[in-house]
Amino acid sequence: MLIKSRRGWEIPERDVTPEAVFLSRRALLGAGAGLIGASALPGSAFAQATAGAADPSAGLYPVARNPRYTLDRPLTPETAASSVNNYYEFGTNYDVAKAAAKLKRRPWVVTIDGLVEKPMQVGIDDLLKAMPLEERVYRHRCVEAWSMAVPWSGFPMKALVDYARPLGSAKFVRMETFLDKEVAPGQSGRFYPWPYVEGLTLAEANNELAFLVTGIYGKPAPNQFGAPLRLATPWKYGFKSIKAIVKFTFVEQKPKTFWETVQSAEYGFWANVNPQVPHARWSQATEKDIATGERRPTLLYNGYGEFVADLYSAPAFKSEKLWM
Ligand SMILES: Nc1nc2c(c(=O)[nH]1)N[C@H]1C(S)=C(S)[C@@H](COP(=O)(O)O)O[C@H]1N2
Ligand SMILES: [Mo]
């Protein structure tokens, strides 16, 4: 007899906000923007935050939710998630929605180069047509100890890796955000090593959880979420989830990331969530829900260990700082 242990995606649906409730909230928001969450955002900012509707890819959404991934907490209301964002290109505070709205979403060319069969450039709309879009509800845990739970739309990063056809020598994927000081005032700050750079091992990029995000709440992602293309690696601290990606470079050596360059003693390459390993300046034991303000215990790998712990079991990882 086959006995299998329960994995997160097999937890009954009871813990997820029922889709009907989610959809009716969307209908309500659509009908009278600002009715819900009016306290979270002034009307104009809410309009900015929901401007995704004007995106040329709007007709692709909503996409079907993949039921394999479930939550242990309610979804964060759209108004709350849309008004608390980290996006240093547009400011060091959380209210970046209005500034980020200035970023032009089209044309958006994605370069795929480095150790691949054939380097290429592909427009975001052609890429969207080639990729299998789905919705996933994921937890999202910032290293600053706040969290949310959101319905991303996008495609598995593995699909992008397959599309890129990396050579056998490729071991890592280096990702880069756009660079445009005219649009992004933060990029004039010389303290930071722009553009924003992140990286994953090829094994991490091919892990089923690694997700490239193009939408949220059933429509194209508003700019503050990193439109038109950002990463979601929910078992890692949020800073790994690089926004507004323009380039994927397949490389042999571990790339140096933006935050490592800024402060390697506090922010490393691996950045896996671990409640028992404090940040240099604060505890990671608990996290604050950005919508309710409630604190909850932080989970190892942000609760995704069953999917990703195996990635780090090789003896070579014993000497790596996996938790920062
Ligand atoms: N290009 C870029 N990507 C970025 C950031 C950034 O400042 N610039 N901030 C990171 C951090 S610290 C977090 S927590 C998440 C926040 O994503 P959210 O605003 O969608 O919640 O984006 C990450 N990706
Ligand atoms: Mo973050």
Side-chain angles (χ1 to χ4, degrees), residues 30-44:
L35 268 185
I36 292 182
S39 58
L41 269 182
S44 61

Side-chain angles (χ1 to χ4, degrees), residues 86 140-144 146 237-239:
N86 257 340
H140 173 42
R141 170 59 158 85
C142 173
V143 73
E144 293 162 356
W146 55 259
Y237 291 115
F239 65 85

Side-chain angles (χ1 to χ4, degrees), residues 3-322:
I3 300 181
K4 55 176 192 147
S5 63
R6 257 197 166 181
R7 302 186 128 198
W9 63 78
E10 292 165 329
I11 291 168
E13 281 299 296
R14 60 162 199 269
D15 292 329
V16 188
T17 304
E19 187 135 41
V21 173
F22 171 64
L23 288 173
S24 67
R25 185 170 66 220
R26 269 181 49 214
L28 195 54
L29 283 167
L35 268 185
I36 292 182
S39 58
L41 269 182
S44 61
F46 188 82
Q48 299 277 10
T50 53
D55 187 289
S57 66
L60 297 176
Y61 304 90
V63 290
R65 182 176 294 177
N66 185 338
R68 195 167 161 85
Y69 311 101
T70 58
L71 295 174
D72 57 353
R73 61 196 72 176
L75 278 174
T76 302
E78 182 178 355
T79 45
S82 305
S83 52
V84 180
N85 301 95
N86 257 340
Y87 204 167
Y88 273 45
E89 285 83 344
F90 295 102
T92 50
N93 293 324
Y94 293 133
D95 56 339
V96 293
K98 204 173 156 206
K102 297 209 174 79
L103 179 67
K104 289 217 165 52
R105 307 154 70 97
R106 298 293 189 283
W108 194 272
V109 178
V110 177
T111 297
I112 298 174
D113 64 7
L115 302 169
V116 292
E117 278 179 30
K118 197 174 157 222
M120 60 176 130
Q121 295 201 307
V122 57
I124 186 71
D125 293 302
D126 288 336
L127 187 63
L128 282 169
K129 269 181 231 147
M131 295 291 116
L133 294 183
E134 60 181 62
E135 181 179 78
R136 294 185 180 189
V137 292
Y138 272 177
R139 292 182 290 273
H140 173 42
R141 170 59 158 85
C142 173
V143 73
E144 293 162 356
W146 55 259
S147 65
M148 59 183 195
V150 294
W152 301 118
S153 305
F155 52 90
M157 185 157 183
K158 184 179 187 311
L160 187 281
V161 173
D162 292 347
Y163 181 83
R165 286 180 285 141
L167 302 176
S169 50
K171 297 285 177 288
F172 297 86
V173 191
R174 179 188 185 276
M175 289 157 279
E176 199 175 291
T177 296
F178 74 90
L179 183 63
D180 186 347
K181 286 186 202 177
E182 304 290 308
V183 182
Q187 291 183 334
S188 293
R190 266 172 293 164
F191 177 71
Y192 292 103
W194 306 109
Y196 200 99
V197 170
E198 261 303 340
L200 293 174
T201 64
L202 211 52
E204 289 176 327
N206 281 327
N207 183 274
E208 66 169 285
L209 279 188
F211 198 56
L212 283 164
V213 169
T214 58
I216 191 169
Y217 296 101
K219 61 192 175 197
N223 280 358
Q224 67 269 31
F225 289 107
L229 187 64
R230 69 86 65 82
L231 178 68
T233 43
W235 71 99
K236 293 177 177 286
Y237 291 115
F239 65 85
K240 293 296 292 183
S241 295
I242 178 173
K243 296 181 171 181
I245 303 168
V246 294
K247 202 199 268 192
F248 296 86
T249 306
F250 289 79
V251 295
E252 205 169 340
Q253 302 295 327
K254 193 202 276 177
K256 180 129 187 200
T257 67
F258 178 86
W259 285 109
E260 269 185 294
T261 308
V262 172
Q263 182 50 282
S264 63
E266 298 186 0
Y267 308 103
F269 178 83
W270 300 104
N272 295 311
V273 175
N274 187 337
Q276 293 181 344
V277 178
H279 181 269
R281 290 176 280 137
W282 57 83
S283 164
Q284 296 291 21
T286 65
E287 63 203 55
K288 192 168 156 184
D289 183 306
I290 61 154
T292 63
E294 279 163 30
R295 288 217 157 255
R296 62 168 66 239
T298 287
L299 307 169
L300 183 62
Y301 292 112
N302 200 22
Y304 294 105
E306 59 214 327
F307 299 91
V308 297
D310 287 353
L311 285 171
Y312 311 104
S313 57
F317 284 106
K318 288 248 152 55
S319 58
E320 295 286 338
K321 293 180 176 174
L322 290 174

